[in-house]
Amino acid sequence: MATSDAPANKSQTISLADEEAVKQLLVGTVFRLWDVVSDLTRLRPSKRGRYRVTIFGSARAKPGTYVYEEVKRVAAALADMGCDIITGGGPGLMQAANEGASAANAADRNRSVGIRVELPFEQDVNPFVGQAFEHKNFFSRLHHFVLASDAFVVAPGGIGTVLELMMIWQLLQVKHLHDTPLILVGKMWAELVNWAKVYLLRPELPLANAQDMTIPRCVNSADEAMALIRVHHANWLKEVTK
């Protein structure tokens, strides 16, 4: 019988009465499952068939507002370039992006993708999503965005958008993501990056490197964001056609 102060031998049985050994076995098994999932996510196609842009932004923006119409316009222009558009699949600016992509590619709605998460205040998938994926937690959902995307555009948004932005920023910082544009559109994000420069690069207590502050590309307009994507997309096309 395995003791509580040492890992259980795989060849030995464990009594359910030995609560500590059972706990160790369950914890160890869960960690091994995570390792399996982590290994599987290392698999990548040799060449991705489509360039995919994830657009993050607020669920609260209403159709007809300036920011909604601008996100819809950007998504339509990117879809016309041959890009897939990925969002969180919900309302607001997510819907704007899916609407733009759907309008530009009416014959192929699967170019308009939504990656959703279960919420206590359940949101329906917006009607412009051609292909939907459902996640039970934010962690696997965020990972899905990372696996599926070639570029990220961050429109104005709230706490959820900040979470998404920061995760992509960190993955680029630690080089778990490579050559993946992170484009922040609007004054609010420029001020966030400036805040980071002030408080994370203090000489008396540096909490980041100066080069980390150059990872997000801050732009003032949708057109500037599209210009950056066009350059990256053109380079991507050269690689996939080799």
Side-chain angles (χ1 to χ4, degrees), residues 105-126:
N105 293 282
D108 191 356
R109 282 177 53 85
N110 283 347
R111 286 179 177 258
S112 182
V113 180
I115 302 177
R116 292 181 27 75
V117 65
E118 289 184 3
L119 295 172
F121 44 94
E122 187 61 35
Q123 297 173 342
D124 293 329
V125 177
N126 75 64

Side-chain angles (χ1 to χ4, degrees), residues 192-205 213:
L192 176 66
V193 174
N194 286 335
W195 171 87
K197 290 177 180 177
V198 169
Y199 290 99
L200 303 186
L201 299 180
R202 291 180 297 178
E204 68 274 19
L205 182 61
M213 301 299 111

Side-chain angles (χ1 to χ4, degrees), residues 53-132:
V53 180
T54 286
I55 298 178
F56 293 131
S58 173
R60 300 172 186 245
K62 301 299 183 185
T65 59
Y66 176 78
V67 67
Y68 186 101
E69 297 305 320
E70 280 294 276
V71 168
K72 184 169 72 172
R73 181 175 70 86
V74 168
L78 293 174
D80 280 337
M81 287 167 48
C83 303
D84 290 355
I85 300 299
I86 302 174
T87 76
L93 298 185
M94 294 175 280
Q95 176 173 308
N98 290 129
E99 183 178 357
S102 180
N105 293 282
D108 191 356
R109 282 177 53 85
N110 283 347
R111 286 179 177 258
S112 182
V113 180
I115 302 177
R116 292 181 27 75
V117 65
E118 289 184 3
L119 295 172
F121 44 94
E122 187 61 35
Q123 297 173 342
D124 293 329
V125 177
N126 75 64
F128 302 100
V129 169
Q131 184 177 26

